[in-house]
Amino acid sequence: MMTGYLLVVYVHLLAAVLWVGYILFWALILRRPSRGLDALRSAIFIRLLHRTPWPPTSLPVPYRVRFPGLGWGALAVLGATGLFMLYAQGGIAQRPIARELLFSPYGRTLSVKLIMVVALAACQLVLIKKPTQRWAHLGLIATVFIIALSALLARGG
Amino acid sequence: MDWYLLSVVLHLLAAFFWLGHMFFWSLVVGPITKRFDPPDAGRWLRQTSMRYGGLGWPALIILIGTGAIMLMYRGVTMEQFISGQFFLTPSGRGLGMKFVLVAWMILYQLVVGHKPAPRLIYVNMAAALVIVGISMLLLRAPHVFGPHGIGLP
């Protein structure tokens, strides 16, 4: 059981590393369209970039890059492993979850983390529909907060 | 102000951003840009990667600095460290393994740095994966580095 739990924690960490790389990529890459093109054209280019099948010959060369399912995939792995870790720690199964989330320091930190995770998923949703530097930066800020909150939780809240 | 907690947060942020950038560009963006035709087409993306490859040194400095603060807060003294006494404990053994791999990553950063290294980058990433694993074990299950675990006898 312990080995399985540690393996899940490890997968959670690796998915988080990949997610940070993904959101950092968008935050960096969107600098170029934001500077070189007007907002509408850059949004159209990057939107096409997600929609066009490979090879996307209708796009300017620098924008021909797609990561189908990677962002959502990493988030799904993070969610599933995170829920398993909560379950294994007895956070869901053995305690009244609402009371725990409202009244204990650990629960309050966890609640804020879960809210930030929902905000991150919202950023990801908007980033796919309308990729702009602002949404990539918001996703990056949410990621920073989630990592900080995770450090707090690892210390017991 | 809880300086220990601040160090942990900074340590984690530096590790996640550095490794995230390294893994994502090497495993995802790199192979995609290699498929570009003509090959020059991926140059812009690779140039962007190289420009931000400079993440390595600042991240290493933060990791070493915050790591030292965390050790100090956990009661590890310089004498224990230099005499090797610290490395006889289970946590010390695990940390010793981590230090060897960190030394490799510093060497890689010194010798290779931003230059393309098609094979060595994977060795570097493997070292990073083991470091993440050791760090997790040090926090969650330090006993595995004991005499009956995976530590040195």
Side-chain angles (χ1 to χ4, degrees):
Chain A
M1 179 62 190
M2 186 62 180
T3 311
Y5 174 75
L6 289 174
L7 197 66
V8 169
V9 175
Y10 190 59
V11 171
H12 191 79
L13 286 174
L14 294 188
V17 164
L18 206 61
W19 167 263
V20 172
Y22 172 81
I23 196 79
L24 190 63
F25 171 82
W26 283 115
L28 297 179
I29 223 80
L30 287 170
R31 288 163 67 96
R32 172 78 173 229
S34 302
R35 285 173 183 174
L37 302 168
D38 60 79
L40 182 66
R41 280 186 69 196
S42 67
I44 290 169
F45 278 146
I46 309 242
R47 183 168 184 173
L48 278 170
L49 180 151
H50 275 278
R51 306 279 174 198
T52 316
W54 185 266
T57 48
S58 61
L59 293 179
V61 165
Y63 303 98
R64 291 179 198 171
V65 54
R66 295 169 70 230
F67 313 116
L70 191 85
W72 287 118
L75 272 186
V77 171
L78 283 168
T81 51
L83 278 177
F84 178 85
M85 283 152 64
L86 261 184
Y87 177 80
Q89 289 166 2
I92 290 177
Q94 293 159 22
R95 300 174 198 169
I97 188 79
R99 188 185 166 87
E100 185 73 15
L101 287 181
L102 283 175
F103 296 111
S104 76
Y106 183 89
R108 276 196 292 268
T109 311
L110 184 64
S111 309
V112 177
K113 182 179 170 180
L114 292 177
I115 290 167
M116 295 305 289
V117 169
V118 172
L120 188 63
C123 282
Q124 162 75 3
L125 196 65
V126 179
L127 201 60
I128 287 172
K129 299 282 179 196
K130 189 188 175 187
T132 57
Q133 199 179 8
R134 177 183 295 173
W135 285 102
H137 283 172
L138 281 174
L140 205 58
I141 291 167
T143 305
V144 168
F145 272 105
I146 289 170
I147 293 172
L149 290 166
S150 304
L152 262 176
L153 288 172
R155 291 194 69 208
Chain B
M1 181 60 140
D2 189 341
W3 291 103
Y4 178 79
L5 184 61
L6 188 67
S7 299
V8 174
V9 170
L10 286 176
H11 199 81
L12 280 177
L13 285 175
F16 274 103
F17 274 81
W18 182 30
L19 298 184
H21 179 265
M22 185 202 296
F23 276 72
F24 196 77
W25 282 92
S26 304
L27 296 177
V28 182
V29 182
I32 287 175
T33 56
K34 278 178 191 159
R35 296 209 308 255
F36 283 0
D37 185 27
D40 282 354
R43 191 185 297 155
W44 173 72
L45 275 174
R46 281 195 290 275
Q47 280 172 349
T48 309
S49 165
M50 291 301 163
R51 204 183 315 147
Y52 294 99
L55 212 62
W57 279 120
L60 264 176
I61 290 166
I62 292 172
L63 285 167
I64 293 169
T66 51
I69 293 172
M70 283 150 65
L71 277 180
M72 199 179 72
Y73 266 81
R74 282 174 176 260
V76 180
T77 62
M78 191 57 88
E79 290 75 33
Q80 287 175 317
F81 207 79
I82 293 169
S83 67
Q85 195 187 344
F86 169 67
F87 297 103
L88 298 175
T89 63
S91 296
R93 284 180 186 144
L95 213 58
M97 292 179 201
K98 187 175 165 178
F99 285 162
V100 171
L101 293 166
V102 169
W104 155 260
M105 290 191 83
I106 292 173
L107 188 71
Y108 178 90
Q109 193 69 21
L110 271 172
V111 178
V112 181
H114 303 176
K115 294 192 284 281
R119 288 201 177 85
L120 266 185
I121 183 74
Y122 292 105
V123 179
N124 207 37
M125 285 194 290
L129 284 177
V130 179
I131 288 174
V132 171
I134 291 175
S135 307
M136 182 200 73
L137 287 174
L138 282 170
L139 187 70
R140 304 265 178 177
H143 62 272
V144 300
F145 298 106
H148 305 295
I150 58 173
L152 298 170

